[in-house]
Amino acid sequence: MGTGKRGLLVVAVTVVCAVTVWGAPGTAFASPSPSPTPSSTAGSTAPALPSTASNKDLEAVRTQLEALYHDAAVATDAYNAAEEAAKRQSAEIVALATKIVEGREKLDDLKDRAGAAARSQYRTGGLPDEAQLMLSDDPTEFLNGAGRVLQGERATKGLLSELTRTQEDLEQYSTDASAQWQKLETGRKTKAAAQKKIETQIAAAEKLESQLEKEDKKRLEQLEAQAAQQAQTAWLSTGVLAEINSSATAQGTKAVQYATAQTGKPYVWGAEGPDSFDCSGLTSEAWKSAGRAIPRTSQEQWNQLPHIAVADMRPGDLIIYFDDASHVAMYVGDGLIVHAPRPGRTVTLAGAGSMPILGVVRPDA
């Protein structure tokens, strides 16, 4: 039994120490050093560009960059999801550790009380209360003693039951803490794998862009802008904007004000502000500033928030992009969004139809 007690206390101390390490400030989005070398697959697909690339070459580069950054966005969502899960699991472990320590103290107190009862019995010559009562010649004492015996029996049974429950609770807390620790460890591996993929995809994209001459980089940006404009024009040509006429709520207005105030700040994967953001970091923080907590990742925002028809969209609603919900932006009105596009870009306004729309969700439905 003594070994079991010590084991429970060790579990409590261990989980507290472990969570302290996991929850240390500054570890969530630490920049890697050094950056990993891009995978051979990513690097081998990069075309060898001439000093002045043709439009066809630049279009191929644009398409490839789009694919690389899309894959990085998917991995970023996985990283952010693992990060959020780690926060929840760490909090649960801390709570369980607290319960273990409190339960251990309660168990010690109960055993002290049981020991006191045993010592009291020893002082009375080892006779149980019932035997002492039968030896009494005083009727009044007999009647008073009968009540005390009954109370004592109930107290003893209650004490033993509480001891048993407390021991069972401690064992369950220990089991639960171990399970949460295992989830935390699994999540750490998931997050590490996602981080590696993010870094690999971004490094491949940066390597590809580094092959371009300064003039070609400008032309590439123009091609990106043209592609976005063509998509926006096609979206507007459907007449959808004429159907969108809902006004923002008070909370929606606050969220839009927060998001648009971040324009010009750089995209950094995993970032939630205040100096940089990724796409879902911007939208989740904007709505947090408006007093409403929403899921951290674009995929969970799509999965958990109420879906709204595009025609019913109002400022503050979130537009989810691509079939895998790997990007999110905030609708600000007049056919425009504010979003954190990708690495190498800053928070900016863009056309709501400039990317393939999966659907719209409403945080304050």
Side-chain angles (χ1 to χ4, degrees), residues 9 25 53 60 107 128 167 169-170 177 215 233 242-243 251 283 303 309 333 350:
L9 192 57
L107 189 63
Q167 288 174 324
D169 287 346
L170 281 170
E215 184 62 31
T233 300
E243 301 176 14
Q251 279 189 312
T283 54
N303 289 334

Side-chain angles (χ1 to χ4, degrees), residues 188-217:
R188 182 193 67 77
K189 294 177 181 177
T190 299
K191 192 168 76 168
Q195 178 172 336
K196 183 177 180 180
K197 183 173 183 180
I198 294 166
E199 293 163 353
T200 298
Q201 299 301 100
I202 291 176
E206 290 174 345
K207 180 179 180 180
L208 182 57
E209 288 186 282
S210 70
Q211 297 179 29
L212 296 172
E213 298 291 336
K214 184 176 180 180
E215 184 62 31
D216 289 335
K217 289 181 181 179

Side-chain angles (χ1 to χ4, degrees), residues 110-147:
L110 289 170
K111 290 186 175 180
D112 284 344
R113 288 164 56 190
R119 288 191 296 273
S120 176
Q121 184 178 354
Y122 176 79
R123 285 194 299 270
T124 60
L127 292 174
D129 290 339
E130 295 89 338
Q132 294 184 52
L133 180 60
M134 294 302 295
L135 294 173
S136 174
D137 293 328
D138 187 340
T140 302
E141 183 180 344
F142 182 90
L143 292 175
N144 292 336

Side-chain angles (χ1 to χ4, degrees), residues 111-353:
K111 290 186 175 180
D112 284 344
R113 288 164 56 190
R119 288 191 296 273
S120 176
Q121 184 178 354
Y122 176 79
R123 285 194 299 270
T124 60
L127 292 174
D129 290 339
E130 295 89 338
Q132 294 184 52
L133 180 60
M134 294 302 295
L135 294 173
S136 174
D137 293 328
D138 187 340
T140 302
E141 183 180 344
F142 182 90
L143 292 175
N144 292 336
R148 289 196 300 272
V149 167
L150 184 59
Q151 291 175 355
E153 287 178 346
R154 290 173 179 170
T156 300
K157 289 179 181 178
L159 179 60
L160 293 175
S161 296
E162 195 170 1
L163 267 168
T164 301
R165 285 196 304 270
T166 301
Q167 288 174 324
E168 290 173 348
D169 287 346
L170 281 170
E171 291 173 2
Q172 187 60 53
Y173 295 153
S174 178
T175 299
D176 292 346
S178 296
Q180 289 297 332
W181 177 257
Q182 184 58 49
K183 289 181 181 178
L184 199 62
E185 177 63 14
T186 300
R188 182 193 67 77
K189 294 177 181 177
T190 299
K191 192 168 76 168
Q195 178 172 336
K196 183 177 180 180
K197 183 173 183 180
I198 294 166
E199 293 163 353
T200 298
Q201 299 301 100
I202 291 176
E206 290 174 345
K207 180 179 180 180
L208 182 57
E209 288 186 282
S210 70
Q211 297 179 29
L212 296 172
E213 298 291 336
K214 184 176 180 180
E215 184 62 31
D216 289 335
K217 289 181 181 179
K218 291 182 180 179
R219 290 169 56 206
L220 177 62
E221 288 185 16
Q222 292 173 353
L223 283 176
E224 290 176 345
Q226 287 172 9
Q229 185 57 48
Q230 288 172 0
Q232 173 74 351
T233 300
W235 183 67
L236 292 176
S237 67
T238 64
V240 65
L241 195 57
E243 301 176 14
I244 302 173
N245 54 17
S246 299
S247 300
T249 62
Q251 279 189 312
T253 298
K254 290 180 180 179
V256 168
Q257 289 172 342
Y258 178 95
T260 53
Q262 312 311 313
T263 54
K265 293 183 179 180
Y267 176 104
V268 173
W269 64 267
E272 301 174 83
D275 300 322
S276 58
F277 297 87
D278 64 18
C279 67
S280 57
L282 176 65
T283 54
S284 60
E285 287 300 304
W287 271 102
K288 184 188 293 184
S289 75
R292 186 173 291 269
I294 65 173
R296 170 64 176 87
T297 71
S298 60
Q299 292 176 344
E300 286 308 302
Q301 289 170 7
W302 173 246
N303 289 334
Q304 296 185 32
L305 298 178
H307 291 201
I308 302 297
V310 173
D312 296 329
M313 191 163 55
R314 67 191 184 199
D317 287 345
L318 306 182
I319 304 181
I320 309 296
Y321 292 97
F322 304 107
D323 290 342
D324 52 9
S326 57
H327 190 68
V328 60
M330 179 177 291
Y331 185 65
V332 298
D334 297 325
L336 297 176
I337 56 170
V338 59
H339 71 144
R342 65 166 177 82
R345 298 289 185 265
T346 60
V347 176
T348 188
L349 293 173

